[in-house]
Amino acid sequence: MSEIPSYLRNGYITPEELEKFIPLPSEERLRKRPVAIPDCPQEIPCAPCREICPTGAISMPTPNDLPIVDYDKCIGCSLCVQICPGLAFFMVHYVGDRARITMPHELLPVPEKGEEVILLNRVGEPVGRGKVLTVVPREKSKGDTPILIVEVPIELAWDVRAVKVERRE
Amino acid sequence: MSKIAVIGGGVIGGAPPHELAKLGEEVILFEKNYFGSGSTFRCATGIRAQFTDEANIRLMKYSVERWEKLEEELGFDINFKQTGYLFLATSEEEVEAFKANIRLQNRFGVPTRLIGMDEAREIVPILNTEPFLAGAWNPKDGKANPFKTLFAYLFRAKELGVDAREHTEVIGFEQEGDAITAVRFRSNGKVESVRVDAVLNAANAWAPLINEMAGLSRDIIPITAYKHQLVKTEPLEPGQAEPLVCPPSWNDAYIIQDGEDGGIICGAGIEHKAKGLDDYEPTYDFLRGVLEYAVRIAPPLRYAHVVRQWAGFYAKTPDSNPAIGRLLDNFYIAAGFSGHGFMMAPAVGEAMAGLISKGRSKVPLDWEWYDPYRFERGELRSSAFQIG
Amino acid sequence: MRLTEHPVLRFERGREVTIYFKGQPIRAYEGETIATALHAAGIRVLNYSANEKRPRGLFCAIGKCSSCLMVVNGIPNVRTCITLVEDGMRIEPQHGKARLPGEAKPPEFKEAKVVRADIVIIGGGPAGLMAAIHAADAGASVVLLDENPMLGGQLVKQTHKFFGKREQFAGVRGVEIAKILEEEVRKRENVEVFLETSAVGIFQEGGEKLVLAVRNNRELIEFRGKAVIVATGAMEKMIPFENNDLPGIYGAGAIQTLMNTYGVKPGDKVLIVGAGNVGLILAYQLIQAGVEVKAIVEAMPKVGGYFVHAAKVRRLGVPILTRHTILRAEGRDKVERAVVARLDENWRPIPGTEKTFEVDVIALAVGLRPSIELLHQAGCQIKYVRELSGHVAVRDEWMETTVRGIFVAGDSAGIEEATTAMLEGKIAGIAAALRLGIADESWLKEMEKAQKDLLEFRSGPFGRHVLEGIKKALIGGVASE
Amino acid sequence: MGGKKIVCRCNDVTVEEVEALIDSGVTDIEELKRLLRIGMGPCQGRTCVPIVLGILARKTGRSQEEIPLPKARVPIRPVRVEVIVGGADE
């Protein structure tokens, strides 16, 4: 049973484990401009990210191969985040002591630009608060999925993968 | 003690081993498929003494008496219920015919009587009284669960040491002169043989194949498999159509509520000659045809749901009476029951055991009437009434 | 309990009507089923079982399990999960086996309506729709029947986007794919669609295949064609555990139907059994509908579905307890609690590891199996193939079964994905038209392309497992172990 | 209500009843079906038959491939009698 990778035992993947499958960008690259990172360690038959990428940055010889992003070619357009059926693409961008995380958000309510939201880590624990910088609503998304850019403390850049929107009625 | 092979694991083959074991015989029972897979598990569950000739009336009167005690004797719930048979007349001529049958049945102690439609409606609350003039009603007729009956016999037989084998096909005999000395059989692809002192062919529709193995002509007892079908509804509350209800002039159509789950079983004489001994394919004409009759017998049935349709064989002889008796020195037959095997099994099982073990039986079975060689002699009996 | 807003779906309800449950008025909407309306009103116990009089509620929601039988307007044994509401309907719970009404007029015998076409396609899900489109384009006249009031099969309940390649609708939500395919089918004049029409049997009559069907639970129709494509999808598996028949325990598909088709919340707090794709997707859909998912338990030591589906619900706070099973449901007339426990290496619950979840819904997502009843009844050779999740019809590369003229496609040929169902449907549709001599040879290429696409889709670890199964299911294929 | 593990909802058959009958020597699926009436209720075996096949395989050490599936019968879903007769829409 020991050959079962821990991401399949747990249902989430740590950045350290992810890096065994998919090389992660350098800090320098992360500071340059937003960069797409697939949390996609498993060979499944799926190719829309490669097909939609305008710069051909994603290599994937067959749909069952893992998406490997050429971080130099990636222009940070977020189309892969919008289209990914597994909601497994994110973008990370370091800006000063903050990080901007681009993530899909298919729940209600959709936060508004400028709204403060609760930041959730990979297992749904609240780890802090952050600000929504950008909202691409469903109708503008190329993949029918609303996406958010959320500003988070830089040390949480690799933890935060969802947000919870609070609304008082 | 002799060793007796019984071929055919339906109820006609399933009853004799128990009876033979009681007489101290050693028995080996062969079924090529699973027990009951031929005709027994496909039958409509009915048991009646309302026949139209002396031989069948007397045999069935005795059989019903055995049925009454069978549950206790076998120590197994077989769900035998005396819920009666109700035949319905649609014309004055039929009423007269019913009266004649009733007189004959009464003469041998079968308590059938003619009833009016009001009483009929009390017995069958969903009955359509309009098309019918009168009913022939025998409250002593009934029904039982075919699966449980066969298993009750087999469980008891096994306790008495019977070697009952399913998925075991008889493929031939070894003979000295006419006498069968051994049975060859195949199981899991392996061929074996067993020495025996006597053989009973209880294979019903398949009986001609067994006769042939014994060196007889297949046609010595001309048995033809007719596909008889049934349609059954979902389970319903008991008490709505407990007796077998049949207007014979409507193509022998009938309904009967299953004594176990309460589903209503619908049958009719819409028959097709089977294309082969594996042709159990239900047909579309039957599905619609039988229900057309059923809703006229019991209109509220229109609101019940059909859950299945299936087919089994009436292994019919030219006169629709079975062939029961000795064919060769130590080769016996009880087959060709033409749809009546289940109800006759307790009597026939006991009679065959007596015949094979002792050469006689106290069962009032008219050996002459059921003589297997009658077809060869061109002597046909009056056709037995074929329902349920 | 009715949903008014949803991040993906829009609910359009019909005219408001009133139905009566035990004499009490209940609000309902035309176009929804009786069981849905009762559920929205908080009614969970629909009947008391045939023998033991155990309370039973909605379970499968697709008219298959018999758990929702009720007395409607005096008529017993009505499957309320597939019977639509009508204004003024009187509904009573059924207590055990039913009594028929005492009086009735015998119905008149009528000839059935006859509909003829080259190809009869049974099932309007992804496989059936693609089969219809391609058989029609290849020149065949087609009838397509489906038991639901809408086309699309399970696609209409799927809020998630599909995998595969974009030409195979990857990145498009199931519910949208259904619309696209339906539009394609409706465009074609040589496809006639019959909804709310259940095929109940296939008979061979001379050279013709007779598909006997019932429309609207009222009308008998004889569909007569030269070929039949069976694309009847799948049905959910059940597992035995204590009180597994308690109202509030549903098949995952039933919850999807309630929630995504009719916009009714199944409950407030849910435990999901099974972390395959269905369980994972269901968890996400429940969260989308504003329902709390307490946990997902999975007997295997790992997530069985796609990792990305698991990650989606994990980051929203849903625990996935692998190597756990459900021991029992508790509650008087409906689920109030679920007790789970950890399993040891031999799949036995470890004493002392029990955990209790306060939930009002237990969702069973323990796997699907192919719906093969029609194929089996029609005489097609059936074989158990573990990799395809159950019994399937033996067939050739063209998806033709051992009964000439009967084809199979989609989940009814083996549990896989909507994407592969669509490709198989395309193959079966073209193959049937080719076999009947209707399609010209150019279609052979089109079919071969679909076969190639299938092979590519199946080249990963998930697909390789399926391919092993298909080898066993092929006519003359490898023997099972 | 007791903690029953229901195999067949139509006839309230439990896991224990199936196992007991198998233990008594009945190991043919067709016989189990008839003696327990599994697969014979209004759901026509959709729910129970796969479970029983699983129990049978486990208890007898046979693989599921070796156990024949009981035949599916017309109609494969319950149909009201009046519909078959043709007069349901009166």
Side-chain angles (χ1 to χ4, degrees):
Chain A
M1 293 288 164
S2 57
E3 73 270 22
I4 297 171
S6 73
Y7 76 90
L8 281 182
R9 275 200 307 268
N10 302 324
Y12 70 94
I13 191 159
T14 60
E16 296 72 33
E17 194 181 6
L18 181 63
E19 203 162 10
K20 289 187 212 155
F21 301 93
I22 289 174
L24 299 180
S26 63
E27 172 147 1
E28 187 195 352
R29 174 63 187 85
L30 286 160
R31 290 203 172 271
K32 205 153 126 195
R33 57 172 183 268
V35 62
I37 297 154
D39 280 12
C40 189
Q42 192 182 35
E43 293 169 341
I44 58 173
C46 190
C49 56
R50 183 199 65 198
E51 293 173 300
I52 205 167
C53 180
T55 63
I58 299 172
S59 81
M60 185 191 274
T62 82
N64 275 293
D65 290 306
L66 299 183
I68 303 298
V69 181
D70 181 335
Y71 299 121
D72 293 329
K73 280 194 193 166
C74 173
I75 54 169
C77 70
S78 87
L79 286 177
C80 51
V81 185
Q82 296 174 36
I83 195 76
C84 175
L87 310 192
F89 260 92
F90 298 84
M91 292 199 306
V92 179
H93 185 197
Y94 290 175
V95 181
D97 63 349
R98 318 292 283 177
R100 293 174 181 177
I101 312 296
T102 307
M103 63 176 72
H105 182 83
E106 285 186 336
L107 303 174
L108 290 182
V110 177
E112 276 160 31
K113 187 174 168 178
E115 188 170 341
E116 206 181 73
V117 291
I118 298 170
L119 306 172
L120 302 177
N121 67 9
R122 292 166 192 263
V123 293
E125 291 159 349
V127 288
R129 301 181 81 85
K131 200 164 94 180
V132 177
L133 301 180
T134 308
V135 178
V136 177
R138 188 178 169 198
E139 40 305 349
K140 296 235 175 86
S141 164
K142 291 277 181 290
D144 200 25
T145 294
I147 63 168
L148 312 175
I149 301 177
V150 184
E151 192 176 66
V152 310
I154 198 161
E155 62 274 18
L156 294 178
W158 296 92
D159 291 335
V160 173
R161 285 298 174 268
V163 298
K164 188 173 175 182
V165 182
E166 287 179 299
R167 284 288 153 85
R168 267 178 249 113
E169 291 296 320
Chain B
M1 187 166 87
S2 354
K3 181 149 190 166
I4 294 145
V6 177
I7 303 168
V11 73
I12 289 293
H18 165 249
E19 302 288 349
L20 283 162
K22 281 199 303 191
L23 297 174
E25 306 292 2
E26 193 184 344
V27 187
I28 181 164
L29 169 65
F30 296 102
E31 164 55 47
K32 73 179 165 75
N33 202 331
Y34 59 90
F35 291 124
S37 57
S39 302
T40 300
F41 283 5
R42 299 168 187 275
C43 86
T45 78
I47 296 162
R48 69 179 151 100
Q50 289 192 63
F51 275 81
T52 51
D53 61 85
E54 180 180 338
N56 282 304
I57 293 170
R58 290 183 62 210
L59 181 67
M60 275 313 301
K61 176 166 187 291
Y62 180 80
S63 199
V64 169
E65 287 161 11
R66 286 297 313 267
W67 276 107
E68 288 169 347
K69 297 191 199 89
L70 207 54
E71 198 153 302
E72 197 184 341
E73 180 183 337
L74 300 175
F76 196 90
D77 173 13
I78 58 167
N79 220 275
F80 173 69
K81 288 180 184 167
Q82 285 175 301
T83 46
Y85 263 56
L86 177 62
F87 287 105
L88 295 166
T90 53
S91 67
E92 288 300 343
E93 298 75 53
E94 219 179 352
V95 174
E96 290 310 310
F98 276 19
K99 285 180 183 163
N101 290 340
I102 289 170
R103 277 194 297 277
L104 184 67
Q105 290 160 13
N106 290 166
R107 186 140 65 86
F108 298 104
V110 175
T112 314
R113 60 193 175 84
L114 197 73
I115 63 170
M117 292 317 294
D118 287 345
E119 188 176 352
R121 178 72 191 247
E122 274 167 37
I123 297 166
V124 182
I126 58 173
L127 185 66
N128 183 10
T129 53
E130 213 176 294
F132 309 119
L133 303 177
W137 167 242
N138 175 14
K140 291 267 193 185
D141 289 341
K143 59 194 174 191
N145 181 321
F147 326 135
K148 293 191 172 173
T149 301
L150 175 56
F151 273 87
Y153 270 119
L154 295 177
F155 283 143
R156 196 79 190 94
K158 283 181 197 171
E159 279 170 25
L160 296 175
V162 170
D163 181 3
R165 303 192 182 193
E166 53 188 337
H167 302 293
T168 305
E169 184 176 11
V170 170
I171 54 170
F173 298 127
E174 287 160 28
Q175 278 168 294
E176 281 170 20
D178 274 351
I180 296 172
T181 55
V183 174
R184 272 187 294 125
F185 57 93
R186 183 168 42 215
S187 170
N188 278 327
K190 220 174 74 194
V191 174
E192 289 172 77
S193 78
V194 60
R195 296 206 61 81
V196 295
D197 301 303
V199 173
L200 168 60
N201 177 359
N204 213 23
W206 292 264
L209 307 178
I210 306 295
N211 287 344
E212 200 173 32
M213 289 177 197
L216 296 165
S217 151
R218 255 191 213 204
D219 293 330
I220 190 139
I221 299 162
I223 294 175
T224 310
Y226 283 88
K227 199 150 76 175
H228 265 250
Q229 302 179 56
L230 294 171
V231 161
K232 190 173 176 190
T233 74
E234 64 212 341
L236 293 166
E237 192 183 289
Q240 303 181 75
E242 290 293 343
L244 187 140
V245 184
C246 170
S249 64
W250 288 4
N251 199 3
D252 293 338
Y254 61 88
I255 62 169
I256 181 171
Q257 198 163 11
D258 185 305
E260 187 92 12
D261 72 5
I264 294 178
I265 299 168
C266 308
I270 304 168
E271 65 178 18
H272 298 274
K273 199 169 151 179
K275 292 188 193 115
L277 289 174
D278 54 358
D279 175 17
Y280 289 119
E281 245 4 272
T283 60
Y284 178 50
D285 63 328
F286 181 85
L287 175 66
R288 298 203 71 199
V290 71
L291 293 175
E292 186 186 357
Y293 289 119
V295 291
R296 282 159 63 204
I297 296 170
L301 251 185
R302 66 183 295 174
Y303 299 120
H305 294 82
V306 171
V307 291
R308 64 183 166 279
Q309 173 187 7
W310 71 95
F313 298 144
Y314 272 19
K316 276 165 78 161
T317 62
D319 59 14
S320 297
N321 278 285
I324 305 174
R326 180 149 74 174
L327 275 175
L328 296 172
D329 187 30
N330 65 347
F331 182 55
Y332 302 83
I333 188 164
F337 279 83
S338 312
H340 307 131
F342 179 59
M343 61 179 83
M344 290 180 173
V348 171
E350 185 186 348
M352 290 315 293
L355 179 70
I356 296 167
S357 179
K358 309 264 183 253
R360 67 196 134 74
S361 166
K362 68 172 173 60
V363 177
L365 186 143
D366 185 339
W367 299 101
E368 187 76 36
W369 178 273
Y370 299 111
D371 179 0
Y373 280 106
R374 69 183 185 275
F375 308 105
E376 207 181 33
R377 294 197 303 267
E379 255 174 55
L380 295 193
R381 309 303 177 212
S382 62
S383 191
F385 208 28
Q386 287 169 60
I387 312 246
Chain C
M1 296 294 266
R2 286 183 190 273
L3 294 168
T4 49
E5 47 171 19
H6 190 281
V8 174
L9 302 167
R10 301 284 163 267
F11 302 110
E12 285 160 22
R13 299 200 162 91
R15 188 172 68 95
E16 189 179 318
V17 295
T18 304
I19 59 172
Y20 296 87
F21 175 71
K22 295 204 265 186
Q24 296 303 307
I26 284 171
R27 183 162 54 111
Y29 296 94
E30 275 181 355
E32 69 185 12
T33 62
I34 297 170
T36 300
L38 295 177
H39 204 285
I43 294 157
R44 294 289 176 275
V45 180
L46 304 182
N47 67 52
Y48 296 86
S49 68
N51 300 328
E52 307 272 328
K53 309 288 186 289
R54 295 167 71 86
R56 293 278 166 75
L58 184 66
F59 178 71
C60 78
I62 48 173
K64 293 193 171 165
C65 78
S66 85
S67 203
C68 68
L69 303 184
M70 300 185 83
V71 182
V72 176
N73 293 335
I75 296 171
N77 292 330
V78 175
R79 286 171 157 68
T80 54
C81 76
I82 50 165
T83 306
L84 301 184
V85 296
E86 285 169 21
D87 198 24
M89 252 178 183
R90 290 170 291 111
I91 295 141
E92 308 287 337
Q94 190 165 311
H95 293 264
K97 289 173 193 165
R99 226 181 154 69
L100 295 170
E103 292 292 335
K105 219 174 82 191
E108 287 297 314
F109 185 87
K110 266 196 238 146
E111 288 306 324
K113 178 187 173 87
V114 177
V115 178
R116 278 178 208 280
D118 295 324
I119 301 173
V120 181
I121 300 176
I122 305 166
L129 287 165
M130 285 291 273
I133 291 166
H134 288 91
D137 288 352
S141 66
V142 174
V143 291
L144 174 63
L145 42 146
D146 192 281
E147 14 190 56
N148 296 289
M150 60 202 84
L151 285 173
Q154 299 304 303
L155 289 174
V156 303
K157 306 173 190 172
Q158 304 310 336
T159 60
H160 66 285
K161 299 189 285 192
F162 278 64
F163 298 92
K165 296 199 287 193
R166 295 190 80 195
E167 63 167 16
Q168 299 155 352
F169 302 107
V172 181
R173 297 183 195 286
V175 60
E176 299 301 325
I177 299 173
K179 286 182 198 153
I180 295 165
L181 294 181
E182 167 159 19
E183 210 171 292
E184 288 298 317
V185 161
R186 299 280 184 189
K187 275 206 291 228
R188 287 164 171 76
E189 283 175 1
N190 49 345
V191 182
E192 199 181 349
V193 175
F194 287 77
L195 293 176
E196 288 185 71
T197 305
S198 306
V200 299
I202 300 176
F203 298 91
Q204 182 77 40
E205 296 214 328
E208 236 178 18
K209 301 266 184 295
L210 161 61
V211 175
L212 189 66
V214 175
R215 179 156 67 175
N216 280 325
N217 279 324
R218 284 206 173 91
E219 184 190 8
L220 194 69
I221 307 180
E222 296 172 7
F223 292 96
R224 292 178 177 272
K226 300 186 205 96
V228 176
I229 299 173
V230 177
T232 45
M235 105 160 252
E236 265 165 314
K237 290 181 187 166
M238 252 275 286
I239 47 168
F241 58 89
E242 283 180 46
N243 298 327
N244 57 346
D245 59 337
L246 202 57
I249 300 173
Y250 308 88
I255 293 179
Q256 295 188 336
T257 301
L258 268 180
M259 186 166 68
N260 297 344
T261 304
Y262 297 110
V264 171
K265 270 167 102 167
D268 295 320
K269 289 170 287 181
V270 181
L271 176 82
I272 296 176
V273 182
N277 274 333
V278 174
L280 298 171
I281 289 168
L282 177 71
Y284 190 69
Q285 293 179 350
L286 282 160
I287 297 167
Q288 286 183 312
V291 179
E292 189 184 351
V293 180
K294 288 282 190 185
I296 303 174
V297 295
E298 167 60 56
M300 299 291 287
K302 62 169 188 170
V303 165
Y306 290 166
F307 163 73
V308 290
H309 283 314
K312 269 160 62 181
V313 296
R314 287 295 271 138
R315 61 184 182 247
L316 296 173
V318 177
I320 298 175
L321 308 175
T322 50
R323 275 232 166 271
H324 276 70
T325 194
I326 181 162
L327 292 183
R328 64 180 173 274
E330 293 180 349
R332 246 182 73 79
D333 279 346
K334 55 187 183 200
V335 171
E336 291 163 30
R337 282 171 305 281
V339 181
V340 308
R342 202 144 60 81
L343 293 170
D344 67 17
E345 299 288 313
N346 300 313
W347 308 93
R348 293 184 194 288
I350 303 170
T353 63
E354 293 85 359
K355 279 193 206 63
T356 300
F357 290 96
E358 302 283 328
V359 292
D360 58 351
V361 172
I362 297 171
L364 300 184
V366 291
L368 300 169
R369 63 187 182 88
S371 281
I372 53 145
E373 292 82 6
L374 273 172
L375 296 158
H376 195 195
Q377 173 271 320
C380 304
Q381 190 192 331
I382 301 294
K383 190 172 179 185
Y384 181 86
V385 179
R386 188 172 43 84
E387 294 86 346
L388 301 177
S389 302
H391 289 88
V392 293
V394 173
R395 72 288 191 136
D396 63 13
E397 308 269 0
W398 288 29
M399 303 308 290
E400 189 170 16
T401 68
T402 54
V403 174
R404 206 160 170 82
I406 299 184
F407 295 76
V408 64
D411 271 358
S412 58
I415 303 302
E416 214 177 338
E417 292 211 30
T419 311
T420 50
M422 287 187 271
L423 289 167
E424 283 187 347
K426 179 174 171 181
I427 292 168
I430 297 171
L434 283 167
R435 279 270 193 270
L436 296 181
I438 294 167
D440 64 49
E441 265 184 33
S442 66
W443 283 95
L444 203 54
K445 274 208 176 64
E446 202 46 40
M447 190 173 74
E448 284 163 359
K449 180 183 179 308
Q451 288 169 327
K452 231 180 86 207
D453 286 345
L454 256 183
L455 205 59
E456 183 188 63
F457 192 92
R458 288 169 176 157
S459 66
F462 284 89
R464 278 199 291 273
H465 181 71
V466 170
L467 281 175
E468 285 303 305
I470 288 170
K471 272 189 217 155
K472 295 177 190 170
L474 280 177
I475 294 173
V478 302
S480 296
E481 70 269 21
Chain D
M1 72 193 253
K4 290 192 172 173
K5 296 179 189 165
I6 299 289
V7 165
C8 156
R9 288 174 170 247
C10 302
N11 290 310
D12 293 321
V13 181
T14 64
V15 173
E16 288 71 20
E17 288 170 282
V18 175
E19 289 180 341
L21 196 57
I22 295 171
D23 287 340
S24 81
V26 179
T27 57
D28 193 298
I29 183 68
E30 296 285 349
E31 294 165 1
L32 286 168
K33 169 180 150 182
R34 289 172 172 83
L35 288 168
L36 290 169
R37 307 201 82 85
I38 46 172
M40 301 175 95
C43 93
Q44 302 171 309
R46 285 180 167 79
T47 316
C48 56
V49 166
I51 301 178
V52 176
L53 290 174
I55 298 174
L56 187 57
R58 173 167 53 79
K59 290 204 67 104
T60 58
R62 276 185 279 174
S63 73
Q64 289 229 33
E65 287 86 345
E66 296 169 52
I67 306 172
L69 189 67
K71 179 83 177 150
R73 302 199 185 276
V74 173
I76 60 115
R77 68 151 62 222
V79 182
R80 209 173 274 166
V81 168
E82 61 182 5
V83 175
I84 297 173
V85 174
D89 40 359
E90 288 159 22

